[in-house]
């Protein structure tokens, strides 16, 4: 085993270290010792020479900010009208006074690679009225992929988020537990690097293509964008649309191909796709063989080999790219009737596939052509791309394969058949609330438009919805399916989590025949279930799945296709879309340049953005900045945010009893004060307290997720009665995991030392009782966590009582570790009168829900 270098992960908990095995040969060696100027440095130098400032060609900062707003928010006609208004023309003193002069300045900005248009002709096989064969001409708009790669690699904005070197990363020095997260930690990069000369660097191409509808309600206008990004750029940056780390490579034509007969039109369309993709990627063929010298973001020139590594697409498009029938697997040669089995089949092989296609083209009709379900596409676009295994490029499609396909279309449908639609709806209606959790107030059967968001919201509560309503084997299958989905979403995988992923899939296959027993299914020959077998190999080769989510290109369609189309006159729109995009890219690039010149402003903007994007963000927040590492009990204090001023002032004890349900408040506060210090003054019913409505708990970093900080909002809001036309709202008192055993909590991981309680009130201790550095909370305990329920894997708890009264206590808010979600046990038939507002009071037993968030799932399941 080579020597491993220990590297601290500053975003990870202290329990995890990253031990890196470096690549044994020189990689990404600069071809010259001196640096070249990056494009931003060249731009700055030109501005200095020309005597202009960073806002040029705009007059000043205010004019630049107006230009950004105009480009982002309104179209050309509205821009023209706005600039011609007397208030704009006379008072703002702009250097441009109409849309034409405004766009002239935008066009003066540096932009990305140029667009090219090539006419592609489909010869057709039908004769026209004159007896001649009718063809169809179409436009192919694209950009040189090598120039796009240069643009991305040389962008100084990505300097600190780029890697050129493959790594093997482990959780410990013994090298037993491998880490897979970024593409450069996977096997593909390491193995491909061994095939290149010393000092060379790989630019792993990630392509994505997806046909999308442009026109709404009328017309049939469509676009087929092709996107490009690089595995060198960290996946957290790639996933962020505002980072512009993904570029539009081209628009494939979407012809009707009426010049072909019904029998040949489909195959002609497949061949046209590969012909156009081959045209777009032409420059990659030679570049992948000899490499291209490129200026990188750090200013060094390296010999870069651009190699296609990953292709993000849905199942039909994967079959199109791989030249296979849609009843086959695009990655392996599994028999179309055996896709429900858990036994892996041989992978498809590029040389063998090309040989088979050659033999078929020349009339040999090899058996393999039919057996492997290959289409007669004799010149696939990937045939000349060196080091490209196109079949291994297909990454898991979490949206369509897992959330929509495996879960919604199959698991939910099967369970609905068993439980009954009405009863399942009733369970969803009565599900207890949680901040940010969607409440299906009308059940799920009435939802007509499903998105990935609805699928994920159902997954968060589904096991609790069906528990005790189906038999143990069905519950085992559903639990295995949900666990697989949650493990597959992790943004850092290890050998341990991959082993758990395999166990989930094996469990599913072991028990899935229960649905055949109940006559819900006759077979499991389902492509999306078969695709789950390939998740392990894909993660090991290319890193975690979140780097290749098909939701990313769907999000990019908004900017690169739909917005661009709406800005056109809907005729010959591809050319107008390309120009629209070129102008917006120029603005984005100049924004990045200004940020590069002012890094302090970038940090401030990012901090402000993180606050805006936090769903639990409050106005006028105070922050718990701890000066001491532990509180009086020796517990690591929780970081929290709370309103600077309590919104509920002078609340009486009687009001706490009646509206907050804090029935044991006085005894609990008395006990707390006596434990803290001997104090002659104890609380009574005449005292008044200042109360908060909510507190936001900042969660500790989770190494299996990204570096984004997560938080939980815990609400303590009494019911609001209706007033006039305004509807009232029920009281909300959330549950939380609270430190019950400080020693166990500090010495162990997961949920050790924690206990569930319902938070009834958050208040300030009046000064005449002494001082306490943090707000206090009155909570009512549930029973301690024992062993998880063997059927569901969830903890089952109930309310804790003392002398037949709620077991209440007062704690410091620093002991609240995180919010949690409790699901009442429903049974075969839900009890009458149970609703989402009262189930925490009506139900006797509760499940502690680990599926409420991936962060909670990892905390409960990965120690």
């Amino acid at each position: 085993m080579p020597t491993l270098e220990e590297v601290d992960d500053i975003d990870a908990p202290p329990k995890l270290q990253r031990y890196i095995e470096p690549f044994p040969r020189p990689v990404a060696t600069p071809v010259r010792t001196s640096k070249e100027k990056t494009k931003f440095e060249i731009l700055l130098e030109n501005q200095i020479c020309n005597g202009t400032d960073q806002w040029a060609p705009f007059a000043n900062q205010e004019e630049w900010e107006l230009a950004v707003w105009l480009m982002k928010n309104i179209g050309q006609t509205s821009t023209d009208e706005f600039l011609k208004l007397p208030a704009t023309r006379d008072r703002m003193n702009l250097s441009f006074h109409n849309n034409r002069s405004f766009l002239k300045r935008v066009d003066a900005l540096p932009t990305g690679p140029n667009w090219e248009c090539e006419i592609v002709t489909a010869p057709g096989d039908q004769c026209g009225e004159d007896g001649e064969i009718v063809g169809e001409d179409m436009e192919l708009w694209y950009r040189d992929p090598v120039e796009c790669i240069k643009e991305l690699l040389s962008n100084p904005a990505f300097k600190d988020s780029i890697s050129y070197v493959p790594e093997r990363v482990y959780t410990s020095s013994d090298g037993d537990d491998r880490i897979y997260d970024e593409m450069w930690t996977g096997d593909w990069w390491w193995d491909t690097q061994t095939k290149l000369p010393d000092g060379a660097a790989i630019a792993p191409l990630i392509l994505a293509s997806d046909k999308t509808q442009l026109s709404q309600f009328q017309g049939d206008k469509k676009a087929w964008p092709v996107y490009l990004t690089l595995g060198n750029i960290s996946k957290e940056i790639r996933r962020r649309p505002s980072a512009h780390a993904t570029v539009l490579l081209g628009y494939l034509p979407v012809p009707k191909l009426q010049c072909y007969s019904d029998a040949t039109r489909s195959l002609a369309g497949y061949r046209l796709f590969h012909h156009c993709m081959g045209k777009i990627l032409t420059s990659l063929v030679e570049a992948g063989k000899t490499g291209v010298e490129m200026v990188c973001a750090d200013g060094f020139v390296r010999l870069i080999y651009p190699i296609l590594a990953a292709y993000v697409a849905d199942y039909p498009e994967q079959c199109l790219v791989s030249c296979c029938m849609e009843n086959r697997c695009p990655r392996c040669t599994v028999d179309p009737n055996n896709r429900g089995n858990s036994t892996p089949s041989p992978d498809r092989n590029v040389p063998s596939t090309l040989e088979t296609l050659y033999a078929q083209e020349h009339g040999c009709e090899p058996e393999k052509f039919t057996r492997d379900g290959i289409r007669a596409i004799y010149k696939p676009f990937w045939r000349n791309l060196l080091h490209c295994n196109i079949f291994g490029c297909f990454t898991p499609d979490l949206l369509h394969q897992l959330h929509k396909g495996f879960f919604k279309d199959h698991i939910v449908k099967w369970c609905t058949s068993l439980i009954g639609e009405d009863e399942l709806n009733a369970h969803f209606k009565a599900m207890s609330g949680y901040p940010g959790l969607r409440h299906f107030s009308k059940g799920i059967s009435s939802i007509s438009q499903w998105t990935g968001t609805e699928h994920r919201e159902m997954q968060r509560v589904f096991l609790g919805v069906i528990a005790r309503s189906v038999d143990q084997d069905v519950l085992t299958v559903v639990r295995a399916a949900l666990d697989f989905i949650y493990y597959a979403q992790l943004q850092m995988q290890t050998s341990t989590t991959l082993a758990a992923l395999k166990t989930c899939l094996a469990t599913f296959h072991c028990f899935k025949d229960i649905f055949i027993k109940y006559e819900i299914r006759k077979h499991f020959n389902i492509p999306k279930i078969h695709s789950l077998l390939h998740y392990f190999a894909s993660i090991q080769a290319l890193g975690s799945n979140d780097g290749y989510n098909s939701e990313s290109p769907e999000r990019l369609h908004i900017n690169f296709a739909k917005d661009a189309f709406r800005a056109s006159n809907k005729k010959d729109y591809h050319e107008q879309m390309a120009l629209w995009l070129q102008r917006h890219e120029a603005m984005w690039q100049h924004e990045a340049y200004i940020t590069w010149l002012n890094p302090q402003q970038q940090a401030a903007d990012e901090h402000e953005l993180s606050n805006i994007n936090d769903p639990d963000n409050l106005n006028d927040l105070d922050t718990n900045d701890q000066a001491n590492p532990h509180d009086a009990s020796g517990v690591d204090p929780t970081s929290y945010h709370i309103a600077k001023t309590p919104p509920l002032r002078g609340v009486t004890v009687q009001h706490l009893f009646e509206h907050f349900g804090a029935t044991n408040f006085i005894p609990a506060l008395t006990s707390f004060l006596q434990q803290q210090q001997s104090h002659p003054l104890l609380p009574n019913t005449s005292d008044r307290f200042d109360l908060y409505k909510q507190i936001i708990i900042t969660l500790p970093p989770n190494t299996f997720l990204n570096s984004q900080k997560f938080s939980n909002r815990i609400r303590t809001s009494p019911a609001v009665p209706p007033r006039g036309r305004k509807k009232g709202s029920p009281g909300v008192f959330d549950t939380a995991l609270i430190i019950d055993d400080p020693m166990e909590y500090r010495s162990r991981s997961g949920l050790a030392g924690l206990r569930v309680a319902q938070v009834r009130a958050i208040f300030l201790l009046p000064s005449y009782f002494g001082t306490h550095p943090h707000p206090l909370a009155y909570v009512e305990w549930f029973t301690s966590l024992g062993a998880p329920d063997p059927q569901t894997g969830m903890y089952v708890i109930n309310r804790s009582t003392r002398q037949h009264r709620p077991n209440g206590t007062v704690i410091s808010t620093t002991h609240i570790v995180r919010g949690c979600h409790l699901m009442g046990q429903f049974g075969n038939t839900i009890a009458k009168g149970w609703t989402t507002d009262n189930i925490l009071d009506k139900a006797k037993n509760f499940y502690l829900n680990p599926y409420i968030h991936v962060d909670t799932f990892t905390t409960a399941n990965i120690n």
Side-chain angles (χ1 to χ4, degrees):
M1 182 82 184
T3 302
L4 302 184
E5 176 188 1
E6 181 181 358
V7 178
D8 290 331
D9 187 345
I10 60 174
D11 294 321
K15 293 180 181 178
L16 180 80
Q17 302 291 333
R18 294 172 70 93
Y19 293 82
I20 296 176
E21 177 187 347
F23 192 76
R25 290 165 41 200
V27 180
T29 306
V31 297
R32 289 182 287 277
T33 56
S34 60
K35 289 187 176 183
E36 298 287 332
K37 290 184 175 65
T38 65
K39 61 180 183 180
F40 285 177
E41 290 170 334
I42 293 173
L43 178 57
L44 176 60
E45 189 177 81
N46 290 338
Q47 287 181 336
I48 294 173
C49 291
N50 296 331
T52 57
D53 60 16
Q54 58 187 308
W55 315 111
F58 298 94
N60 49 46
Q61 181 177 356
E62 290 75 16
E63 190 170 288
W64 160 252
E65 291 173 351
L66 174 63
V68 171
W69 184 86
L70 290 172
M71 287 293 289
K72 183 178 180 180
N73 294 288
I74 62 178
Q76 295 189 33
T77 301
S78 298
T79 298
D80 206 48
E81 292 174 356
F82 173 79
L83 294 176
K84 290 180 179 179
L85 288 172
T88 306
R89 186 180 63 246
D90 300 337
R91 298 181 187 178
M92 299 186 71
N93 194 28
L94 299 174
S95 62
F96 49 87
H97 303 292
N98 53 42
N99 184 65
R100 182 180 178 184
S101 61
F102 168 63
L103 292 180
K104 192 173 181 180
R105 278 163 176 74
V106 174
D107 291 338
L109 291 169
T111 187
N114 294 327
W115 283 88
E116 299 178 36
C117 178
E118 188 165 330
I119 302 300
V120 177
T121 301
D125 60 6
Q126 298 292 292
C127 293
E129 295 179 357
D130 58 359
E132 298 291 330
I133 295 292
V134 177
E136 183 174 347
D137 291 339
M138 60 209 78
E139 293 181 348
L140 171 63
W141 286 86
Y142 66 98
R143 299 192 280 191
D144 186 341
V146 172
E147 294 302 316
C148 292
I149 295 167
K150 289 180 179 179
E151 185 77 11
L152 289 171
L153 281 182
S154 65
N155 192 336
F158 302 144
K159 178 182 176 181
D160 298 327
S161 305
I162 284 183
S163 177
Y164 307 96
V165 182
E167 299 173 345
R168 287 175 177 164
V169 186
Y170 304 88
T171 61
S172 63
S173 58
D174 57 22
D176 290 338
D177 198 23
R178 179 90 176 267
I179 291 175
Y180 304 92
D181 46 19
E182 300 287 357
M183 182 184 276
W184 54 81
T185 65
D187 291 333
W188 176 88
W189 197 327
W190 187 284
D191 295 340
T192 306
Q193 191 73 50
T194 63
K195 303 172 185 177
L196 300 182
D198 285 355
I202 296 176
L205 269 64
I206 304 172
L207 295 183
S209 59
D210 182 40
K211 195 183 301 183
T212 185
Q213 188 77 28
L214 295 177
S215 52
Q216 295 179 332
F217 309 117
Q218 60 180 353
D220 58 349
K221 306 294 187 183
K222 297 179 181 179
W224 200 337
V226 180
Y227 303 107
L228 179 148
T229 187
L230 299 176
N232 308 85
I233 304 171
S234 71
K235 53 193 175 69
E236 194 167 339
I237 299 297
R238 295 201 310 265
R239 288 198 310 266
R240 194 184 305 164
S242 61
H244 305 296
T246 300
V247 299
L248 180 64
L249 187 57
Y251 292 114
L252 297 173
V254 191
K256 298 184 183 299
L257 295 180
Q258 297 296 328
C259 56
Y260 288 92
S261 64
D262 293 343
T264 60
R265 185 176 300 123
S266 178
L267 181 59
Y270 301 146
R271 290 174 174 173
L272 176 65
F273 168 85
H274 281 267
H275 175 77
C276 292
M277 285 294 293
K279 287 280 187 183
I280 294 174
L281 303 180
T282 298
S283 63
L284 291 180
V285 176
E286 187 62 27
K289 294 177 181 177
T290 61
V292 178
E293 290 189 2
M294 298 187 186
V295 179
C296 298
D298 58 5
F300 286 109
V301 178
R302 294 179 174 88
L303 185 62
I304 303 294
Y305 285 76
I307 300 171
L308 180 57
Y311 202 114
V312 180
D314 58 17
Y315 176 74
E317 200 143 327
Q318 288 182 5
C319 294
L320 170 61
V321 172
S322 64
C323 305
C324 75
M325 304 287 185
E326 288 193 14
N327 66 341
R328 305 302 179 101
C329 173
R331 286 187 61 118
C332 73
T333 56
V334 63
D335 186 279
N337 297 317
N338 293 330
R339 288 175 294 178
N341 297 336
S342 59
T343 305
S345 300
D347 290 335
R348 292 184 182 271
N349 178 275
V350 170
S352 175
T353 301
L354 292 177
E355 288 174 9
T356 303
L357 284 169
Y358 181 84
Q360 179 72 16
E361 183 182 15
H362 290 81
C364 299
E365 298 184 358
E367 178 187 354
K368 182 177 174 63
F369 182 83
T370 303
R371 186 181 69 241
D372 291 352
I374 302 174
R375 291 191 187 275
I377 303 169
Y378 301 125
K379 295 180 180 180
F381 73 82
W382 37 263
R383 67 191 185 280
N384 294 322
L385 298 179
L386 196 62
H387 307 306
C388 171
N389 174 15
I390 192 64
F391 309 115
C393 289
F394 300 125
T395 56
D397 182 356
L398 298 182
L399 175 62
H400 298 101
Q401 290 173 352
L402 282 187
H403 300 309
K404 182 182 183 301
F406 186 41
F407 177 71
K408 168 61 174 58
D409 293 345
H410 300 302
I411 296 295
V412 174
K413 183 179 179 181
W414 302 341
C415 291
T416 303
S417 299
L418 287 173
I419 299 172
E421 187 176 280
D422 292 341
E423 185 63 26
L424 193 67
N425 283 335
H427 289 198
F428 272 105
K429 292 177 186 178
M431 179 54 59
S432 53
Y434 179 84
L437 174 67
R438 171 168 179 175
H439 176 224
F440 293 94
S441 58
K442 298 181 180 179
I444 60 172
S445 59
S446 61
I447 298 176
S448 58
Q449 186 68 35
W450 287 92
T451 67
T453 300
E454 280 80 23
H455 302 147
R456 282 185 284 266
E457 291 298 305
M458 288 175 60
Q459 291 163 13
R460 298 173 75 181
V461 299
F462 194 71
L463 197 63
V465 164
I466 68 167
R468 301 172 64 88
S469 299
V470 295
D471 72 19
Q472 181 173 345
D473 285 354
V474 173
L475 204 59
T476 299
V477 172
V478 175
R479 177 187 168 192
L482 284 172
D483 285 355
F484 185 96
I485 292 170
Y486 273 68
Y487 276 116
Q489 294 178 76
L490 298 185
Q491 296 170 8
M492 188 198 78
Q493 298 280 0
T494 66
S495 302
T496 302
T497 60
L498 287 181
L501 193 69
K502 285 187 177 182
T503 300
C504 295
L505 188 58
T507 302
F508 170 82
H509 281 289
C510 183
F511 289 91
K512 68 179 186 294
D513 287 346
I514 188 65
F515 291 107
I516 294 178
K517 174 184 173 181
Y518 285 120
E519 299 182 349
I520 303 297
R521 291 290 305 176
K522 294 181 179 179
H523 64 82
F524 295 93
N525 188 33
I526 301 170
K528 289 171 183 174
I529 291 180
H530 168 77
S531 69
L532 307 185
L533 288 172
H534 297 299
Y535 277 44
F536 319 106
S538 178
I539 292 170
Q540 289 174 324
L542 298 172
S544 56
N545 292 329
D546 60 300
Y548 315 98
N549 198 335
S550 62
E551 288 180 272
S552 295
E554 292 196 3
R555 170 62 182 82
L556 293 172
H557 286 343
I558 297 174
N559 282 338
F560 293 153
K562 299 180 186 297
D563 286 349
F565 176 75
R566 281 193 286 268
S568 72
N569 63 8
K570 316 302 185 289
K571 298 177 181 179
D572 295 326
Y573 51 86
H574 279 122
E575 180 178 8
Q576 298 171 60
M577 290 166 67
L579 179 58
W580 181 92
L581 177 63
Q582 185 168 297
R583 286 169 170 163
H584 278 75
E585 282 183 334
M587 297 292 286
W588 297 335
Q589 189 174 123
H590 203 70
E591 280 186 290
Y593 167 69
I594 292 171
T595 301
W596 173 76
L597 284 176
N598 304 278
Q600 295 85 2
Q601 182 61 40
Q602 177 188 19
D605 290 344
E606 288 179 351
H607 177 72
E608 182 180 351
L609 184 62
S610 67
N611 288 334
I612 293 172
N613 289 337
D614 187 347
D616 293 327
N617 187 48
L618 288 173
N619 293 324
D620 196 24
L621 286 178
D622 196 8
T623 302
N624 166 33
D625 293 324
Q626 295 294 331
N628 299 313
H630 307 290
D631 66 10
S633 64
V635 175
D636 292 323
T638 301
S639 174
Y640 62 83
H641 300 268
I642 200 163
K644 291 182 178 180
T645 303
L648 304 176
R649 310 299 295 270
V651 177
T652 65
V653 172
Q654 185 65 28
H655 191 86
L656 279 168
F657 291 170
E658 296 177 355
H659 298 278
F660 288 78
T663 54
N664 275 358
F665 181 79
I666 292 297
L669 181 57
T670 300
S671 176
F672 175 83
L673 292 174
Q674 290 174 338
Q675 291 173 7
Q676 293 295 307
Q677 57 183 339
S678 176
H679 201 285
L681 187 61
L682 295 177
N684 58 59
T685 55
S686 300
D687 292 313
R688 292 174 176 265
F689 298 86
D690 295 341
L691 272 61
Y692 298 93
K693 290 184 177 181
Q694 60 183 350
I695 185 172
I696 293 177
I697 304 297
T698 302
L699 302 183
N702 188 327
T703 188
F704 294 99
L705 303 178
N706 59 30
S707 61
Q708 176 185 349
K709 290 184 178 180
F710 294 95
S711 61
N712 282 161
R713 179 172 39 164
I714 298 170
R715 304 162 296 180
T716 56
S717 302
V720 177
R723 287 185 179 181
R725 295 175 59 191
K726 290 186 177 180
K727 294 182 179 180
S729 59
V732 178
F733 302 96
D734 289 323
T735 53
L737 283 163
I738 295 172
I739 299 172
D740 184 44
D741 187 332
M743 291 294 293
E744 188 176 15
Y745 173 69
R746 292 188 63 194
S747 61
R748 297 177 59 188
S749 59
L751 303 180
L754 301 180
R755 187 175 175 182
V756 178
Q758 186 173 25
V759 184
R760 287 288 185 178
I762 302 169
F763 62 97
L764 284 179
L765 186 68
S767 59
Y768 51 80
F769 287 123
T771 60
H772 194 275
H774 306 286
L776 303 179
Y778 170 77
V779 303
E780 294 179 348
W781 294 107
F782 287 77
T783 53
S784 300
L785 303 179
D789 173 44
Q791 293 187 14
T792 63
M794 297 186 287
Y795 293 99
V796 179
I797 59 177
N798 50 57
R799 288 192 178 273
S800 174
T801 59
R802 180 178 295 173
Q803 298 178 345
H804 306 290
R805 292 172 62 85
N807 182 8
T809 188
V810 169
I811 62 168
S812 170
T813 51
T814 59
H815 286 213
I816 303 176
V817 175
R818 63 174 68 234
C820 67
H821 183 232
L822 297 185
M823 303 183 289
Q825 286 188 343
F826 291 118
N828 288 328
T829 304
I830 192 170
K832 291 184 178 180
W834 283 15
T835 69
T836 185
D837 300 326
N838 65 23
I839 192 168
L840 283 179
D841 299 318
K842 296 282 188 181
K844 180 180 179 182
N845 297 315
F846 302 88
Y847 292 112
L848 176 58
N849 182 9
Y851 300 100
I852 194 65
H853 192 277
V854 180
D855 174 73
T856 310
F857 178 82
T858 58
T859 301
N861 290 280
I862 307 174
N863 296 321

